[in-house]
Structure formats: C-alpha cells, structure tokens
Amino acid sequence: QQQVKQSPQSLIVQKGGIPIINCAYENTAFDYFPWYQQFPGKGPALLIAIRPDVSEKKEGRFTISFNKSAKQFSLHIMDSQPGDSATYFCAASSFRNAGNMLTFGGGTRLMVKP
Amino acid sequence: NAGVTQTPKFRILKIGQSMTLQCTQDMNHNYMYWYRQDPGMGLKLIYYSVGAGITDKGEVPNGYNVSRSTTEDFPLRLELAAPSQTSVYFCASSNNRAEQYFGPGTRLTVT
C-alpha cells in the first residue's frame, strides 16, 4: 500500500526554535521525497526535496534528513520565524509511476510564536 | 507566465447539481493532476493526465470525470454533486519527476 504517514498533526514553537516534522513510508520503490509548504488560502508550493542517494539536504534554513533503512525522512526548520507558520506536507513518488504521481502525508500545521 | 490558474475560486452547489472546475496551465507541462483537500487532511489524487488525450484514475475518482483535449486545459467535471464532495480542489501540473506546480484552489460547498 502506498502510504506516507506524517507526524505530528500540529506543532507550536517559539521564534528561533527548531520544529521537526517526521514522515514514514512503506513502499520501497519510492525514490523522490518532496516537502510542500501551504499558506492559508493558497495552493501548496515545493519547499525542498531529496532523493534516497543522499542522507541530508539543506536549503537555507530548511533541512531534510533521510534514513533509507528506516524508511523515514524528516524536515527541520532552523531558526524558525513567524512567517514559517503554515501547513507542511511530505510526499513521495516512485520512478515506476508513469504519471509521476505524488502520495502525500496528512500534513502538519506549524505555528511559530513571536 | 500565469502558471496554473483555476476557476471559479468559490462555488456553492445544491445536491444533485453538476459543474465543471476549470484548470489551465501555460507552462507547456505534459502532466496534470486534480487533488481534493478535506479540512485538516492531506491531498488525495482524483485524476491525472500524462498528456493530451490520456487520463487515468487516482485514489478517489468516484463522482468525477475529466478530459484533456489540449496540453493547457484539464477540466474536472462533477456530476450529481453530493455533500461528500465538499472540499477544496487543487489542480497541478508538472513536466518531469521534480516539482508539481499547484493552482490557488477552488473551494466547493455542496448543500
């Protein structure tokens, strides 16, 4: 079954804190793992993505950590800011998937308090 | 480029009515998708298309239909609307195995 499980559902941190959002998957054929950020009333937008040949990827304050053996990956937001308050979705897709379809996690609503 | 555009932004339907949600992309992307997002939930794939004239079902296709006559347009048709179809609908497009670009969404209420 192509599922991606995401936790926690919601998260509140103080400004400057490091929120961590975790995702776990089952399908070993998954080979592309993006994170999307969604602000209220907007569509999701790609934030950062990783492929399983690396264990970590950083882009600015955002870092993905990937553990292939555990089939888990996580998003870390360094020095979080109130403007990072949004819903974050992890996702996964497989090269065997002719339609490039993404399977999404359930989302994490992040609030960063000033 | 406008990216992915969706119309309408909001719509209220009565049970049993039909409507078409419009989606257009100007990036010449081959792949297009329709998702629904229920409150507090993730995105579920309804239908997708890998090119003009080719469509296929996603995870939750029941109650919906699509067509893809051009590269740019991918309308979603709701027949006999039901309260369970109350949701926010997102259209997305992609040209490779990387980024999917999402539209702003259509908020649909069926009462």
Side-chain angles (χ1 to χ4, degrees), chain A residues 31 36 38 89 93 99-100, chain B residues 31 33 37 48 96-97 100:
Chain A
D31 67 340
Y36 280 79
Q38 183 181 30
F89 293 96
S93 74
N100 294 346
Chain B
Y31 302 97
Y33 311 85
Q37 184 178 31
Y48 70 98
N96 51 39
R97 295 233 30 248
Q100 285 191 17

Side-chain angles (χ1 to χ4, degrees), chain A residues 19-87:
Chain A
I20 301 173
I21 305 171
N22 300 299
C23 285
Y25 64 96
E26 298 173 356
N27 187 349
T28 55
F30 284 150
D31 67 340
Y32 173 69
F33 302 90
W35 284 89
Y36 280 79
Q37 181 187 54
Q38 183 181 30
F39 293 106
K42 304 292 186 182
L46 180 67
L47 186 63
I48 186 173
I50 197 168
R51 298 192 185 273
D53 51 345
V54 295
S55 60
E56 186 177 276
K57 182 174 181 179
K58 291 183 181 180
E59 285 188 4
R61 296 184 294 108
F62 300 92
T63 299
I64 299 178
S65 297
F66 183 81
N67 185 330
K68 187 174 181 179
S69 61
K71 293 187 285 186
Q72 294 175 347
F73 58 109
S74 59
L75 177 70
H76 302 232
I77 305 176
M78 309 301 288
D79 186 28
S80 58
Q81 301 296 313
D84 296 329
S85 297
T87 299

